[in-house]
Amino acid sequence: MKGKSSIVWLKAQAVTLLQPDIKPTLLIAVGNLSRGDDALAPLLQELIEPVIDESTTELITDFQLQLEHVLDITGRDRVLFIDAAVECTTPFSFSEQQASTEYTHTSHIMSPAAIMQVYRTITKRLPPPCFLLSIKGESFELGESISSTAEQHLQAAKVFTLAALKLSSVEDWRKLCWKPIL
C-alpha cells in the first residue's frame, strides 16, 4: 500500500500539472448496470448528462470506488459520490463526507471517506469537499433490472441533483445536507 500510495501521489501531482483546466465539480457514480438497483447511480448520470454544464462538471462512472479515484478528486472544488444504498430511510439522502481511517478498505473496494483519507495521507492536504448522494435500492441481484420503487427514487434523486448542480458554492451544498429530503 505504501508504495502504491506514493505512485498515486505522484500521479496526482502530474494530473494537477498536466490538466490545468480540471472541471471544478466531479460526480462519481458507483454501481453496476447488471445488478438491479445497484444501477441507480449510473442511471442517474445517464439522465443528467444531457443537461449538465460540461464546462464545469465532469462525470465518471465505475463499478466501485478504488484507490485510483484519489487522482480523480485532485484539483476539484467539490465532489459528489453517488451510490445505491439499502440503509436509506428516505428515497435518497445527501450528506457531506469526512476523511476517516475508520472505514476499512482494500485496493479494490473503498468508501468516499477512505478515498478522502488516502488523499489526505499522500498529499498532506485536506481533500476537496466531498458529498454522498445515496439512493435507496432494494434488490441487487445479477441480471435484474431496477425495481419500480427504485425507479421512483431515481426520478426524485434526478430532480435533487439537477437543482444542487445549479448551486455554485460548497456552502449551498452544505445547507442541503441539513434539510429534510422528501
Side-chain angles (χ1 to χ4, degrees):
M1 177 74 186
K2 190 172 186 176
K4 193 170 185 177
S5 294
S6 297
I7 292 170
V8 170
W9 182 83
L10 287 172
K11 286 182 178 178
Q13 297 304 310
V15 165
T16 302
L17 293 172
L18 297 174
Q19 297 180 348
D21 59 342
I22 291 175
K23 296 172 184 170
T25 301
L26 173 65
L27 275 62
I28 301 177
V30 181
N32 184 337
L33 290 169
S34 301
R35 289 196 150 293
D37 294 349
D38 195 40
L40 284 166
L43 289 174
L44 176 60
Q45 282 213 351
E46 287 179 13
L47 290 173
I48 67 172
E49 186 172 14
V51 295
I52 64 162
D53 181 354
E54 293 179 354
S55 68
T56 61
T57 304
E58 182 177 352
L59 306 175
I60 295 174
T61 301
D62 212 332
F63 286 129
Q64 56 195 9
L65 292 176
Q66 301 179 45
L67 188 59
E68 289 77 7
H69 288 109
V70 172
L71 298 174
D72 296 320
I73 71 171
T74 300
R76 308 295 179 161
D77 291 344
R78 60 186 179 180
V79 177
L80 175 60
F81 294 95
I82 307 168
D83 201 359
V86 175
E87 64 274 2
C88 277
T89 57
T90 56
F92 62 88
S93 65
F94 184 73
S95 60
E96 186 168 10
Q97 302 295 291
Q98 301 296 321
S100 174
T101 58
E102 292 179 21
Y103 295 94
T104 59
H105 62 275
T106 68
S107 62
H108 300 291
I109 301 173
M110 300 178 76
S111 68
I115 294 287
M116 296 170 71
Q117 183 60 43
V118 170
Y119 178 95
R120 194 165 135 182
T121 300
I122 62 175
T123 65
K124 308 294 185 215
R125 294 184 290 175
L126 292 175
C130 295
F131 298 84
L132 175 62
L133 176 67
S134 298
I135 308 170
K136 183 170 179 55
E138 299 173 335
S139 180
F140 296 82
E141 294 300 320
L142 185 62
E144 288 185 348
S145 56
I146 68 168
S147 66
S148 60
T149 304
E151 177 65 36
Q152 295 171 1
H153 299 165
L154 175 63
Q155 293 305 321
K158 173 189 168 190
V159 171
F160 174 83
T161 303
L162 290 174
L165 288 173
K166 289 180 181 174
L167 303 172
S168 59
S169 79
V170 169
E171 286 308 312
D172 287 338
W173 277 25
R174 287 185 173 126
K175 291 175 187 171
L176 293 174
C177 294
W178 294 102
K179 291 184 177 180
I181 298 173
L182 297 182

